[in-house]
């Protein structure tokens, strides 16, 4: 890795905020059925997702959500270090300009 590459990556990380709002989408049809996914909406130029970004959701409900859908993200950093939730959800990334993924060796199945 050249010094120029390191400089570019450091620039990306310093310009990214943690602005990410993860929540359970509300049901608009009046039914009391929970969806099977969580939405994470980015704010600003870039956002960082960590497993701790899901702290606003009750931990006993997390196993019922098999997908995390990211929206409104220009640049997204997925900092997927341990401990991941169990079971591991599917991450859905739509219309992103840039995605940076950081994982630990224990998450080789990702």
């Amino acid at each position: 890795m050249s010094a120029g590459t390191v400089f570019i990556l450091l620039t990306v990380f310093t310009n990214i905020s943690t602005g990410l709002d993860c929540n359970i989408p509300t049901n608009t049809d009046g039914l009391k059925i929970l969806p099977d996914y969580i939405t994470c909406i980015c704010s600003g130029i870039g956002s960082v997702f960590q497993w701790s970004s899901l702290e606003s959701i009750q931990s006993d409900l997390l196993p019922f959500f098999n997908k995390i859908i990211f929206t409104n993200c220009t640049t997204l950093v997925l900092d997927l270090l341990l401990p991941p939730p169990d079971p591991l959800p599917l991450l859905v990334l739509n219309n992103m300009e840039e995605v940076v993924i950081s994982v630990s060796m224990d998450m080789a199945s990702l």
Side-chain angles (χ1 to χ4, degrees):
M1 186 180 302
S2 70
T5 303
V6 172
F7 175 74
I8 291 170
L9 287 176
L10 289 176
T11 301
V12 168
F13 282 113
T14 57
N15 288 332
I16 291 179
S17 70
T18 57
L20 192 66
D21 180 29
C22 295
N23 56 57
I24 303 167
T26 56
N27 192 340
T28 58
D29 60 9
L31 299 175
K32 300 257 184 205
I33 300 172
L34 282 176
D36 66 344
Y37 60 93
I38 294 170
T39 58
C40 290
I41 301 170
C42 299
S43 62
I45 294 173
S47 299
V48 176
F49 173 82
Q50 298 175 323
W51 297 120
S52 62
S53 301
L54 302 175
E55 286 178 349
S56 64
I57 299 169
Q58 288 177 264
S59 60
D60 59 332
L61 292 178
L62 285 176
F64 296 102
F65 301 102
N66 59 13
K67 288 186 280 193
I68 301 174
I69 301 174
F70 295 90
T71 59
N72 199 34
C73 302
T74 302
T75 301
L76 178 64
V77 175
L78 297 172
D79 187 6
L80 304 177
L81 300 177
L82 295 177
D86 186 32
L88 192 62
L90 174 69
L91 302 178
V92 179
L93 311 169
N94 292 321
N95 299 324
M96 308 270 167
E97 289 184 22
E98 182 177 23
V99 176
V100 178
I101 302 173
S102 174
V103 297
S104 71
M105 294 302 287
D106 295 338
M107 293 192 60
S109 64
L110 183 67

